[in-house]
Amino acid sequence: MNKRIIYQNDNGGVAIIIPCDCGLTIEEIAAKDVPTGKSYKIVDVADIPTDRQWRAEWTVDEVDLTDGVGE
Amino acid sequence: MPAPVIRQFVGTIPDKGQSQTAFDTNVDAWLDWTTLQFAPDLVAFGEFASDTRAALVAANLPPLTGRAANMVRVNAAANGVEFRTPAQVLSDISAASVASVALKASVASVALKAPRASPQFTGFPMAPTALAATNTTQIATTAYTRTAIPNVLNAAGSAPIYACRAWVNFNGLGAVAIRGSGNVSSITDNGTGDYTVNFATAMQDANYCVSTAVANAAADDWTLNPRAILSGAVRVFVRRGDNSRADADKCFVSIFR
């Protein structure tokens, strides 16, 4: 899949879910694998930085996570 | 049968050179004549055929004397007819009834059989056990599968086999990506050297075994360590030899239960 699911982790950082081709849709994976109550956004792979030197400094504004909430 | 009578058309034969009106009139007259002339012959022929058939039948009949109330049937050779007394007819019917009973039993028996297409057996259906390593459409019995499964898995001896319940091979460097997986719905990139493997179908509990490996070109002392172990997911850390976390390009996680 060329999509990723992002949500804000408990430390204020960014968690990125890389989905598998397991028979579930990206929405089903998001609902299942995003922690309960966490808002998420489905984005393209290209939207994720590839330079991970400052991975711990990545942030996301929670108001932008508008695609759903983990179940 | 009377001898045939020669007749001749007494009108004018239709021919070229006649006026259209005369030609048409002559044609009509010719057709009327032929119809009238040949109709009696056809009737006569029909009577002749009927008489002939009756004569042939009568010739095949046995003498009628003493055959009152008898019935007639075609003989076994199918080349004539024969008389049957009432007692013989009853015997014939009785024999047919026996055959009918046998047929009914056969029909009832067939009704209990499973169809050839998609049969649904009940009870304990059995089949010949296929030879080891058979790879055809032959039915595999329980005896065959108990031998065939360890053989296919190259598992010699009698020790039980426990299957891998989930696995994933992923790249934790750069654009984190999954190379291959089984029963894994996703991995979560939580941060540097910090990943969660999410199972597509959860384990029965969290008492499973996590087998991990990590490969990194920079050093040989890195490890991939399971941390939070849940029935639906396991979180793993990649650590350098100094215990700091790092991203690795080849991360392997297998789950056994």
Side-chain angles (χ1 to χ4, degrees):
Chain A
M1 291 184 184
N2 292 321
K3 296 290 186 180
R4 298 291 185 261
I5 305 158
I6 60 174
Y7 63 91
Q8 192 176 67
N9 63 27
D10 293 338
N11 300 324
V14 183
I16 302 157
I17 291 179
I18 297 91
C20 287
D21 289 323
C22 61
L24 299 176
T25 65
I26 186 79
E27 291 79 12
E28 290 170 333
I29 292 173
K32 186 178 83 67
D33 293 344
V34 172
T36 303
K38 295 279 190 184
S39 300
Y40 64 81
K41 181 78 172 178
I42 297 172
V43 300
D44 291 331
V45 172
D47 295 331
I48 306 297
T50 56
D51 182 353
R52 297 174 61 85
Q53 183 175 4
W54 306 105
R55 174 67 179 83
E57 312 307 322
W58 293 2
T59 60
V60 64
D61 193 337
E62 194 164 8
V63 298
D64 293 332
L65 306 176
T66 54
D67 284 344
V69 178
E71 299 174 359
Chain B
M1 183 179 177
V5 176
I6 298 174
R7 303 180 182 88
Q8 183 173 1
F9 179 55
V10 296
T12 302
I13 300 296
D15 199 357
K16 59 185 179 180
Q18 296 172 345
S19 68
Q20 184 64 55
T21 301
F23 181 82
D24 292 346
T25 301
N26 292 335
V27 167
D28 289 343
W30 166 256
L31 291 176
D32 291 344
W33 184 84
T34 53
T35 301
L36 290 173
Q37 294 305 310
F38 286 101
D41 290 341
L42 291 174
V43 170
F45 180 77
E47 292 173 347
F48 168 76
S50 179
D51 293 345
T52 301
R53 182 180 62 183
L56 289 172
V57 170
N60 282 333
L61 278 176
L64 300 179
T65 303
R67 294 298 185 179
N70 283 16
M71 301 183 74
V72 178
R73 73 176 185 183
V74 176
N75 62 18
N79 57 6
V81 294
E82 63 184 0
F83 290 106
R84 301 291 284 172
T85 66
Q88 288 173 324
V89 170
L90 287 175
S91 176
D92 293 343
I93 294 174
S94 177
S97 297
V98 170
S100 177
V101 169
L103 179 60
K104 284 183 178 179
S106 296
V107 170
S109 177
V110 168
L112 296 174
K113 307 298 183 186
R116 290 180 62 192
S118 304
Q120 295 182 358
F121 299 121
T122 59
F124 303 94
M126 297 184 182
T129 297
L131 295 175
T134 298
N135 185 13
T136 67
T137 56
Q138 182 178 351
I139 292 173
T141 63
T142 54
Y144 173 80
T145 53
R146 286 189 68 85
T147 301
I149 291 173
N151 286 345
V152 169
L153 297 174
N154 300 309
S158 58
I161 302 167
Y162 295 94
C164 176
R165 310 298 291 274
W167 63 272
V168 64
N169 172 343
F170 66 92
N171 176 8
L173 276 179
V176 179
I178 296 169
R179 297 189 182 91
S181 66
N183 191 30
V184 169
S185 59
S186 69
I187 60 172
T188 304
D189 166 18
N190 301 301
T192 302
D194 181 352
Y195 313 97
T196 300
V197 178
N198 301 298
F199 305 137
T201 299
M203 301 298 128
Q204 64 201 69
D205 53 36
N207 299 329
Y208 51 82
C209 178
V210 185
S211 176
T212 66
V214 61
N216 175 56
D220 294 328
D221 58 350
W222 291 20
T223 58
L224 184 57
N225 306 311
R227 297 288 292 183
I229 300 175
L230 306 172
S231 62
V234 59
R235 190 171 183 175
V236 292
F237 288 166
V238 177
R239 291 192 184 279
R240 299 187 184 92
D242 62 3
N243 207 36
S244 62
R245 290 207 300 264
D247 292 327
D249 63 338
K250 293 183 176 64
C251 301
F252 313 102
V253 178
S254 303
I255 306 299
F256 291 87
R257 180 70 172 88

